[in-house]
Each structure stands twice: as structure tokens, then as C-alpha cells.
């Protein structure tokens, strides 16, 4: 799906497919350098990180493993509740592994800060974070992402894996959702 397919539901496009692809090329090269000689385990946060995982992992030159974790985040709304629990845990024992968390967006930071400390408690060799997007103005808690695609304004965005109420994940680019879409419901 492209933005032209849903003109009434979006305010504007924030990132084109091409911008996303170019950025992932750049970051994958950096990851190749940083993890040279190490075996990487990518951990994707379901379901927003699915597109990032597919496109980033395929750009990395060395063999790696992929696992997934599902945690509760926003439910149907657009603001973080801060209540986090694991809905689906990893299959992999991450002890002594080099872990790179793959996430779509770093907003308040509550999710990634919680996830990073949860994974750290399992004894990995290292834990770092990749996030395609971050909203610096929305940060409530300090959390350092080693790889950041783009800083974006504090607006609710959809597409390229990011959803509103499970919709819009199949939009090819990233766009600001029209507030009418979520104010109508609440
Ligand atoms: P945080 O805990 O506030 O950092 O939120 C992180 C999670 O909230 C992300 O993994 C997303 O699933 C979701 N989220 C935050 N901002 C947006 C947005 O603008 N659009 C869609 N999902 C978002
Ligand atoms: Mg997410």
C-alpha cells in the first residue's frame, strides 16, 4: 500500500521508501564493521519491527540468527501505558551471545529500557539497540540506541511495520496518521 491509496487517512509522508532503504544500507555496513568476527543474534520486537528486520538483516553480510519477542505496548491507543509484560518470549538462550535488539520506534523509551534490562539479566555478551525511528521530544526515560535511523517529530506515525490498532503496517513508507482516525474512536 502507498500513501496515494489512503489520502484521507494521513497528514503527510515523513520518510519515503528510498530514504528508508538508503539508511538501512548505511547502518548495515556499520553493523558489519562493528560486529566483525562476532556472531550476531538479532532480536526483533513483534510486530512493528517485522519490516525493519526483513530489510536490515538481509543487508548484513555475515551469518546471523534471528529471534522474536512480543511484549505488550500500546493496545488500541496512541500513548504509552508504561505497563509492559512478555506475551511471547525468545526461543534462544542468549547467554554469552552478542544481541542486537531490532525495534521500529523509540518513543517514551519505556519499552526498550525495560527490554534491555530484561535481556541484560540473562547474561549476554553484549546488548545493543537498533531503532529505525526515534522521537527525541517524547523521551521519558534515558535509553541509548547504538543505531538510529531517523529522528522524527513527536507525532503518531504509521507504515513500514508501524500500526494504529493493527492497521497500516503494510504501508510502504512512513506517514503521520490523521488525528481524525484515532479521535473518532475515543
Ligand atoms: P515507548 O515504550 O513509548 O518507547 O514505545 C515504543 C512502542 O510504542 C513502539 O515499539 C511502538 O510499537 C509504539 N509506538 C510508539 N510511537 C508510535 C507511533 O508513532 N506509531 C506507532 N507505534 C508507536
Ligand atoms: Mg513496537
Amino acid at each position: 500500500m502507498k500513501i496515494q491509496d489512503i489520502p484521507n487517512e494521513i497528514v503527510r509522508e515523513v520518510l519515503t521508501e528510498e530514504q528508508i532503504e538508503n539508511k538501512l544500507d548505511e547502518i548495515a555496513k556499520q553493523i558489519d564493521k562493528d560486529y566483525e568476527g562476532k556472531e550476531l543474534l538479532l532480536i526483533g520486537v513483534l510486530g512493528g519491527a517485522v519490516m525493519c528486520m526483513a530489510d536490515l538483516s538481509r543487508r548484513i553480510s555475515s551469518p546471523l540468527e534471528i529471534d522474536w519477542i512480543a511484549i505488550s505496548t500500546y493496545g488500541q491507543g496512541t500513548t504509552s501505558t508504561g505497563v509492559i509484560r512478555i506475551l511471547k518470549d525468545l526461543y534462544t538462550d542468549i547467554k554469552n551471545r552478542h544481541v542486537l535488539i531490532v525495534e521500529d520506534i523509540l518513543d517514551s523509551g519505556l519499552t526498550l529500557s525495560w527490554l534491555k534490562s530484561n535481556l541484560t539479566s540473562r547474561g549476554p555478551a553484549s546488548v545493543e539497540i537498533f531503532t529505525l525511528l526515534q522521537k527525541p521530544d517524547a523521551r521519558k526515560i534515558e535509553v541509548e540506541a547504538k543505531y538510529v535511523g531517523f529522528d522524527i517529530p513527536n507525532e503518531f506515525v504509521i507504515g513500514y511495520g508501524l500500526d494504529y490498532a493493527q492497521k497500516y503496517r503494510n504501508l510502504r513508507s512512513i506517514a503521520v496518521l490523521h488525528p481524525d482516525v484515532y479521535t473518532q474512536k475515543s
Side-chain angles (χ1 to χ4, degrees):
M1 184 168 75
K2 298 186 173 179
I3 51 164
Q4 296 91 309
D5 298 318
I6 48 164
N8 301 328
E9 287 156 79
I10 65 158
V11 179
R12 64 173 194 283
E13 190 168 51
V14 179
L15 293 166
T16 64
E17 286 184 73
E18 198 189 356
Q19 284 176 300
I20 297 168
E21 284 164 9
N22 291 341
K23 184 62 77 175
L24 292 178
D25 280 340
E26 206 180 284
I27 293 179
K29 279 199 194 100
Q30 189 59 48
I31 291 173
D32 278 333
K33 272 194 204 136
D34 293 348
Y35 288 89
E36 206 185 336
K38 291 175 182 156
E39 208 188 317
L40 195 52
L41 171 64
L42 301 181
I43 294 182
V45 185
L46 291 169
V50 167
M51 308 296 174
C52 291
M53 179 66 93
D55 288 341
L56 178 69
S57 65
R58 284 181 295 178
R59 285 172 163 80
I60 296 173
S61 305
S62 46
L64 51 77
E65 289 176 34
I66 296 176
D67 201 349
W68 300 93
I69 193 164
I71 48 193
S72 64
T73 52
Y74 279 5
Q76 302 281 301
T78 61
T79 49
S80 189
T81 59
V83 179
I84 293 158
R85 69 201 164 90
I86 295 180
L87 304 176
K88 181 229 162 280
D89 208 340
L90 303 171
Y91 296 121
T92 317
D93 178 1
I94 66 171
K95 197 165 174 32
N96 300 325
R97 302 295 309 271
H98 290 286
V99 169
L100 179 59
I101 300 170
V102 175
E103 178 60 308
D104 50 2
I105 188 165
L106 178 47
D107 185 15
S108 70
L110 293 167
T111 306
L112 277 174
S113 135
W114 182 89
L115 182 60
K116 191 173 181 184
S117 60
N118 179 288
L119 297 183
T120 301
S121 73
R122 307 183 194 195
S126 65
V127 185
E128 298 291 353
I129 295 170
F130 161 91
T131 182
L132 181 66
L133 307 175
Q134 74 172 345
K135 295 180 187 170
D137 297 339
R139 196 65 45 80
K140 288 184 187 149
I141 187 166
E142 194 51 48
V143 42
E144 193 63 38
K146 184 164 185 183
Y147 307 100
V148 178
F150 304 92
D151 284 356
I152 59 164
N154 193 6
E155 293 170 290
F156 196 80
V157 293
I158 45 136
Y160 196 73
L162 290 148
D163 72 309
Y164 171 69
Q166 302 301 333
K167 274 179 77 181
Y168 308 109
R169 293 192 198 271
N170 63 321
L171 180 65
R172 302 188 70 109
S173 57
I174 293 174
V176 174
L177 183 62
H178 201 293
D180 281 356
V181 177
Y182 48 86
T183 46
Q184 273 163 13
K185 286 188 182 168
S186 54

